[in-house]
Amino acid sequence: MYVNLGLGLGLGKQQGGGGGNPPDPSPYLDSVIDSVVFEVDATVSGSYSGLGSTWANLTPIPADGEDRSAYDFSFYGTPNFVGTAGTTGAHFTLDNGADAFQIAANTGFIKKLHKTTGGTAWWFLFAGESLDSTWPFSTLFATGTSNGSGVRVLGINTEGISVFHYGEGTFQSSNGSTVPSPTGDVLVLASYDNGEITIWAQSTTKEEISLTPTPTTTDPDSLLSLGAAANGTGDPEISTARSAQWKLRTFAMGNEAITSDAVAADIISHIETRHGIDYTP
């Protein structure tokens, strides 16, 4: 439910500053939760100005210690920016089978997302709008394929939000029961910790599912892609298994597991306030 109570608007963690004056609070998700490593948002001109081919990270100090720009995403193909930069109506769309967003190089954190030894817990957020009630299969992000190692989060119109784990060429998956709205605004928050999965899909009440990951220590076979599956050779998969059926507003990721409805509600409220949208009706 969208209620503007000022949650997540910089009332938490603060950055910078000095002397006797308090620093300016961050207006982004790092003011709500400390574990953010990246956040890209089409409605924020600091993330995309309407020009160029980079979707820039808004997180000033990624929680994994990487440089901010390590989580900038380049256009793969020609993603279409729609609207006016810095307004709530701004968003990206992807041409089916042609476009995506791709990181320049997988960071140490991204390389660990799927690993069962030396791995890491993580959470992932997507906010946008579904445009096609017949969409069958839309990848939100991916680092690997069934032929190698990695992880993938997607929506399936008959099965709900799904997490796929790839280890040494072996595929495991688990599906949540909540199916994203066939048309309309959608927010998905998913958390993973060695096979234990927590999902909030258009809700502030969690659903818990699990899978048994195949033991793996191998790096992912592809670069992190947003809005696309992976092809196993480093690039997004050129097929219909992508998010062409969505308006893409926000992607974000962090390096801890989230299991608390209260923490999830703060994150969701922050995005709802920024976009002026009720993502949990």
Side-chain angles (χ1 to χ4, degrees):
M1 178 173 64
Y2 170 48
V3 180
N4 185 353
L5 298 177
L7 295 175
L9 295 181
L11 303 181
K13 186 180 73 171
Q14 295 182 331
Q15 307 217 12
N21 297 319
D24 292 334
S26 168
Y28 307 124
L29 275 175
D30 63 306
S31 68
V32 181
I33 185 167
D34 290 336
S35 58
V36 187
V37 298
F38 76 79
E39 178 184 9
V40 291
D41 192 312
T43 73
V44 178
S45 59
S47 188
Y48 190 69
S49 67
L51 300 172
S53 58
T54 299
W55 203 0
N57 183 19
L58 292 168
T59 305
I61 306 173
D64 62 348
E66 293 283 352
D67 290 339
R68 177 178 188 162
S69 61
Y71 290 104
D72 288 347
F73 288 83
S74 297
F75 289 18
Y76 187 91
T78 55
N80 183 37
F81 181 72
V82 180
T84 302
T87 67
T88 56
H91 61 274
F92 284 103
T93 60
L94 305 178
D95 290 334
N96 200 24
D99 303 333
F101 301 92
Q102 187 178 57
I103 201 167
N106 285 334
T107 62
F109 165 65
I110 297 302
K111 291 178 181 179
K112 295 177 181 179
L113 298 181
H114 66 290
K115 291 182 179 180
T116 52
T117 300
T120 184
W122 51 267
W123 59 264
F124 173 81
L125 178 141
F126 164 76
E129 181 180 346
S130 177
L131 299 174
D132 182 359
S133 62
T134 65
W135 62 272
F137 189 72
S138 290
T139 297
L140 302 180
F141 90 90
T143 65
T145 70
S146 57
N147 296 319
S149 297
V151 69
R152 181 178 179 187
V153 173
L154 63 157
I156 302 175
N157 68 352
T158 58
E159 299 179 20
I161 300 302
S162 300
V163 176
F164 287 12
H165 179 274
Y166 307 112
E168 313 301 329
T170 301
F171 162 65
Q172 307 288 342
S173 70
S174 187
N175 303 324
S177 62
T178 302
V179 177
S181 173
T183 56
D185 298 306
V186 174
L187 186 147
V188 173
L189 176 62
S191 173
Y192 178 92
D193 188 3
N194 199 30
E196 299 303 315
I197 302 161
T198 310
I199 296 172
W200 294 264
Q202 294 175 261
S203 174
T204 54
T205 301
K206 66 186 176 184
E207 178 180 6
E208 295 177 314
I209 59 178
S210 63
L211 58 79
T212 302
T214 301
T216 178
T217 59
T218 304
D219 285 350
D221 59 39
S222 296
L223 295 172
L224 172 62
S225 296
L226 304 179
N231 70 358
T233 61
D235 290 327
E237 180 182 17
I238 301 303
S239 75
T240 58
R242 56 187 62 243
S243 303
Q245 302 90 348
W246 304 86
K247 291 181 181 179
L248 308 178
R249 298 189 184 112
T250 303
F251 291 97
M253 183 170 266
N255 64 352
E256 69 171 318
I258 298 173
T259 58
S260 163
D261 280 343
V263 172
D266 280 352
I267 293 170
I268 294 166
S269 175
H270 178 92
I271 299 299
E272 288 183 324
T273 300
R274 183 191 301 168
H275 292 170
I277 291 171
D278 182 1
Y279 285 110
T280 56

